[in-house]
Amino acid sequence: MWGRLKNSESSLLGCGAVHPQPTRARLWSCFLCPLPQETMKGLTSQLEVCQSYKSLYGKDLIADLKYELTGKFERLIVGLMRPLAYCDAKEIKDAVSGIGTDEKCLIEILASRTNEQIHQLVAAYKDAYERDLEADIIGDTSGHFQKMLVVLLQGTREEDDVVSEDLVQQDVQDLYEAGELKWGTDEAQFIYILGNRSKQHLRLVFDEYLKTTGKPIEASIRGELSGDFEKLMLAVVKCVRSTPEYFAERLFKAMKGLGTRDNTLIRIMVTRSELDMLDIREIFRTKYEKSLYSMIKNDTSGEYKKALLKLCGGDDDAAGQFFPEAAQVAYQMWELSAVARVELKGTVRPAGDFNPDADAKALRKAMKGIGTDEDTIIDIITHRSNAQRQQIRQTFKSHFGRDLMADLKSEISGDLARLILGLMMPPAHYDAKQLKKAMEGAGTDEKALIEILATRTNAEIHAINEAYKEDYHKSLEDALSSDTSGHFRRILISLATGNREEGGEDRDQAREDAQVAAEILEIADTPSGDKTSLETRFMTILCTRSYPHLRRVFQEFIKMTNYDVEHVIKKEMSGDVRDAFVAIVQSVKNKALFFADKLYKSMKGAGTDEKTLTRIMVSRSEIDLFNVRQEFIEKYDKSLHQAIEGDTSGDFRKALLSLCGGED
């Protein structure tokens, strides 16, 4: 049944960095069949292996493999024996058969394949199942999701690398008007442009969209679309930007956390092993600080693991060092980030119909008499801005002669009390209190100190210093000096002065700063200067240079050393100094992602770090919690809302979900 694709198959094999002879052919000789070695020599396609097996033994190789093998190992090996188009056809058939549909499988395959691969897939599906693929997709899906899948199934994406600047500008305007500027969304425009334009054209559209609107196209898609249609369009955008990066992300998500999504892992390892597996490996290590090989090794077992590791093609060097190609990918990512103007959005905004008298009376009623109406307290406090909460507090005092904070303390307790009382404090006083708590008593909460001081703006730091002095009659610098020591103390005090530069980048200075970083991290070819002086300069660079300038320093560091500065700090440094520098670097790279990571870690595993969870939700709710939500779902494949819902309970959960501001 595979004769129809025999001639076209050669155009697929060997196109990527991993070639068929050292991967599949080698794997076949190790696992698949008792063919004589002289017969195995020179076999470079599944079809030839199957034909030779049939000629020698009069049996069907795939039938024998299914009989002899079981489970995941069988699925992997049998998948390897199918030509890629038939492998895709089988995956899609499984995805639309039976009760329910595996939308993620449909998205992954149809969003990532080239025109030629789509045409071969359609032909293979017809040959294998005597059914029309488009008809089956239409019968099993609906709405805009279905329409986009059908467009992708045509395999008619433009392939001309010559791009019209006028058409790029027109598409940017059309997408903007179809989404951000329109009441509702014109999904047809998104489908037409993202489903038909060439990848080169779309990359320029995405760049111009960012420059024109101040937000990446992904943010607009998340804001305007929903459900499986949103996921499909995001997958298309990711594949346009970098197909290997898309699959690196899919592989990581298939293995992270409890349990392994083996079907996804198998499908990607089988279908990409001859196309772009080396590229995927490079990007995987760049993004996740570990090799694909090591993650497969730790997450699978038995013969299944052996086969996957052979498909992977080898382990990579220590985390932090890039292949030359991967370094260039990272450099380009930084170049893109340099022009980004990310719109920061909180989830809590001033109430439009604000009435402090009514709110004060409602809160008094909720706490008066027997029992407490926690729902009213949560509803009012989490839906008002901090400035409005301060007005409520003053009005409450004027009307009832009582301190609202004291009444709240007497009526609610535990995690809910910490959250509500935190929201009632002015932001600078709240941060000051969190810093005080981190330093009082036995031991110091270094992570809290780092989180706050490494991420606040100059204005926020100055306000915290004033609040700390006012509330505790002691300077923040004196408190840090008495509670910390060594290089860690120097870093915190430097951050606590709020003297970070606020200008743009200086390319010449950035190259000098990158050289200092390379020398102190001991990876420069020609180190110069004494180490103490270098340490001081390195700390000064990270603690006082502006964010735009530091982004350029990190770019120059990659260009100069082939390493990522964050990974090298993690490898070469230790303790609180390392953690402080890593937090600064991560905040410079992507502050919203930094907080998303902290939130995820506060809720993963056994137990919940309620203090960290509360601190971040309170402090970011009016600044960038919406951005944090976007980064959270992008990295962890589940929404912040879902994580909070699954990891907290009672009124504390209600209040957190209200602050979260919605499900993504």
Side-chain angles (χ1 to χ4, degrees):
M1 70 177 181
W2 293 337
R4 187 175 304 176
L5 292 183
K6 183 175 180 181
N7 294 329
S8 60
E9 183 188 343
S10 62
S11 65
L12 290 178
L13 297 181
C15 297
V18 180
H19 298 290
Q21 189 60 34
T23 53
R24 289 195 180 198
R26 181 176 61 191
L27 196 148
W28 294 333
S29 66
C30 295
F31 291 109
L32 299 184
C33 58
L35 290 178
Q37 285 300 308
E38 60 271 18
T39 304
M40 284 297 295
K41 290 177 181 177
L43 296 185
T44 58
S45 77
Q46 305 92 323
L47 187 57
E48 290 175 288
V49 174
C50 289
Q51 288 174 339
S52 295
Y53 190 91
K54 189 103 172 181
S55 298
L56 285 167
Y57 305 109
K59 293 184 176 182
D60 180 71
L61 176 55
I62 288 187
D64 278 4
L65 288 169
K66 287 182 176 180
Y67 181 77
E68 293 291 335
L69 308 176
T70 59
K72 296 173 287 191
F73 184 50
E74 175 202 334
R75 186 179 180 92
L76 174 63
I77 297 302
V78 171
L80 285 166
M81 291 309 304
R82 294 190 174 99
L84 296 182
Y86 283 87
C87 187
D88 280 347
K90 176 68 165 61
E91 291 293 319
I92 288 184
K93 185 68 168 65
D94 290 346
V96 298
S97 296
I99 299 173
T101 304
D102 184 352
E103 290 86 3
K104 289 183 178 180
C105 174
L106 297 180
I107 291 169
E108 178 195 300
I109 292 174
L110 296 180
S112 65
R113 299 320 191 237
T114 65
N115 287 344
E116 184 179 1
Q117 290 167 340
I118 290 288
H119 298 154
Q120 292 175 357
L121 163 61
V122 171
Y125 195 91
K126 186 75 171 178
D127 186 37
Y129 305 110
E130 298 181 347
R131 298 178 63 87
D132 181 68
L133 177 53
E134 182 177 324
D136 281 1
I137 291 289
I138 290 173
D140 214 62
T141 58
S142 61
H144 297 297
F145 178 58
Q146 177 197 89
K147 292 175 184 176
M148 185 61 179
L149 290 177
V150 170
V151 168
L152 295 173
L153 269 176
Q154 306 313 302
T156 54
R157 184 176 297 284
E158 298 164 357
E159 295 180 335
D160 189 357
D161 286 338
V162 179
V163 178
S164 164
E165 292 185 11
D166 291 340
L167 186 56
V168 167
Q169 293 296 337
Q170 185 61 54
D171 282 350
V172 169
Q173 189 62 31
D174 288 346
L175 288 171
Y176 192 42
E177 291 177 356
E180 299 287 339
L181 296 182
K182 187 178 179 66
W183 181 262
T185 306
D186 183 358
E187 291 86 354
Q189 280 285 17
F190 280 85
I191 291 172
Y192 176 74
I193 293 172
L194 295 182
N196 291 284
R197 299 292 194 229
S198 72
K199 286 190 172 183
Q200 180 63 27
H201 176 90
L202 286 174
R203 290 186 191 110
L204 293 176
V205 168
F206 300 160
D207 290 346
E208 288 302 315
Y209 191 91
L210 179 63
K211 293 176 185 177
T212 300
T213 68
K215 62 170 60 178
I217 188 68
E218 292 91 338
S220 290
I221 288 173
R222 289 193 187 95
E224 298 297 327
L225 311 180
S226 62
D228 293 323
F229 180 46
E230 174 196 339
K231 293 174 185 174
L232 174 59
M233 301 304 265
L234 288 173
V236 169
V237 170
K238 287 177 182 177
C239 288
V240 166
R241 290 195 187 279
S242 170
T243 302
E245 184 174 357
Y246 171 71
F247 282 113
E249 182 180 303
R250 292 282 294 159
L251 284 169
F252 179 75
K253 290 178 178 178
M255 291 181 282
K256 75 177 179 69
L258 297 175
T260 304
R261 299 173 189 177
D262 294 289
N263 287 352
T264 300
L265 177 58
I266 291 167
R267 183 171 59 247
I268 296 173
M269 295 302 292
V270 166
T271 58
R272 309 312 294 187
S273 59
E274 296 179 21
L275 298 175
D276 51 6
M277 186 54 70
L278 272 182
D279 297 323
I280 292 169
R281 276 170 44 184
E282 291 169 354
I283 292 172
F284 192 97
R285 186 177 55 179
T286 300
K287 289 191 70 167
Y288 304 114
E289 304 169 39
K290 63 181 72 177
S291 68
L292 175 60
Y293 187 98
S294 66
M295 195 159 185
I296 291 172
K297 189 175 181 179
N298 293 330
D299 211 63
T300 58
S301 61
E303 301 299 322
Y304 175 53
K305 175 170 75 175
K306 289 180 184 178
L308 287 171
L309 292 178
K310 284 183 177 289
L311 283 177
C312 185
D315 201 356
D316 303 321
D317 298 333
Q321 184 177 14
F322 299 119
F323 295 113
E325 296 85 353
Q328 289 306 308
V329 170
Y331 188 83
Q332 289 163 8
M333 290 168 64
W334 280 112
E335 286 288 347
L336 182 63
S337 73
V339 301
R341 292 182 290 115
V342 178
E343 179 188 357
L344 299 183
K345 292 174 63 177
T347 55
V348 175
R349 301 175 183 83
D353 54 350
F354 179 56
N355 185 330
D357 288 342
D359 285 346
K361 291 174 182 176
L363 287 170
R364 174 63 178 152
K365 183 179 179 182
M367 294 183 285
K368 191 176 180 181
I370 300 174
T372 304
D373 182 358
E374 288 88 354
D375 286 345
T376 295
I377 295 172
I378 291 169
D379 183 60
I380 292 174
I381 303 301
T382 62
H383 289 98
R384 306 292 185 268
S385 68
N386 193 272
Q388 290 175 335
R389 294 182 203 122
Q390 302 315 310
Q391 290 185 55
I392 294 171
R393 192 173 171 181
Q394 292 173 353
T395 303
F396 194 90
K397 185 84 169 178
S398 298
H399 278 335
F400 307 111
R402 304 173 66 91
D403 179 35
L404 177 56
M405 294 285 280
D407 280 6
L408 287 169
K409 281 182 185 179
S410 68
E411 293 292 329
I412 55 178
S413 61
D415 295 326
L416 177 64
R418 278 190 286 271
L419 180 67
I420 295 298
L421 292 171
L423 289 168
M424 288 302 304
M425 296 180 70
H429 289 267
Y430 179 73
D431 278 346
K433 183 176 182 180
Q434 297 308 302
L435 290 169
K436 180 72 164 58
K437 283 181 172 290
M439 292 183 282
E440 67 184 8
T444 302
D445 185 351
E446 292 85 1
K447 290 183 179 179
L449 296 178
I450 292 168
E451 176 202 305
I452 295 171
L453 294 176
T455 60
R456 299 316 192 243
T457 65
N458 285 345
E460 289 168 339
I461 290 290
H462 297 155
I464 291 170
N465 275 286
E466 292 179 10
Y468 199 95
K469 185 78 172 177
E470 179 183 338
D471 293 344
Y472 307 112
H473 310 293
K474 183 179 184 179
S475 74
L476 176 57
E477 182 177 335
D478 288 344
L480 291 169
S481 296
S482 62
D483 206 67
T484 58
S485 61
H487 290 304
F488 183 54
R489 175 171 61 194
R490 291 176 62 203
I491 294 167
L492 292 181
I493 289 175
S494 180
L495 292 172
T497 59
N499 286 329
R500 187 174 295 284
E501 297 165 358
E502 296 184 343
E505 64 181 60
D506 180 331
R507 293 206 175 206
D508 292 336
Q509 184 64 56
R511 282 188 282 273
E512 291 182 23
D513 290 345
Q515 180 64 34
V516 170
E519 291 176 13
I520 194 63
L521 295 171
E522 299 182 349
I523 57 174
D525 293 331
T526 56
S528 62
D530 68 279
K531 189 162 185 179
T532 302
S533 174
L534 284 172
E535 287 174 349
T536 300
R537 288 175 66 191
F538 185 61
M539 184 191 74
T540 300
I541 289 165
L542 288 184
C543 294
T544 66
R545 299 287 196 252
S546 71
Y547 273 28
H549 180 83
L550 283 174
R551 291 190 187 103
R552 177 59 62 182
V553 172
F554 300 160
Q555 287 174 296
E556 293 299 329
F557 188 89
I558 292 173
K559 188 177 180 181
M560 183 183 299
T561 68
N562 216 38
Y563 285 75
D564 176 76
V565 68
E566 179 186 341
H567 298 169
V568 180
I569 290 171
K570 288 178 178 177
K571 183 181 177 183
E572 298 296 331
M573 295 184 168
S574 61
D576 297 326
V577 171
R578 176 198 60 198
D579 293 343
F581 282 152
V582 167
I584 294 169
V585 172
Q586 290 178 340
S587 182
V588 170
K589 285 181 174 180
N590 186 334
K591 192 178 289 187
L593 180 58
F594 170 79
F595 284 115
D597 286 339
K598 295 281 286 183
L599 285 170
Y600 178 78
K601 289 172 183 174
S602 75
M603 292 182 280
K604 76 167 187 171
T608 303
D609 180 357
E610 289 89 359
K611 289 182 180 179
T612 299
L613 176 59
T614 298
R615 184 172 60 245
I616 295 174
M617 294 295 289
V618 168
S619 63
R620 309 315 295 183
S621 59
E622 290 186 56
I623 300 173
D624 57 2
L625 190 54
F626 183 80
N627 307 82
V628 174
R629 269 172 43 185
Q630 291 180 314
E631 296 294 345
F632 194 99
I633 194 169
E634 178 73 20
K635 182 165 183 179
Y636 298 110
D637 206 25
K638 68 175 177 181
S639 68
L640 177 59
H641 188 282
Q642 289 172 318
I644 291 171
E645 197 168 43
D647 210 67
T648 59
S649 60
D651 292 322
F652 180 52
R653 176 168 64 187
K654 287 181 186 176
L656 286 172
L657 291 178
S658 183
L659 279 183
C660 184
E663 172 69 287
D664 293 307

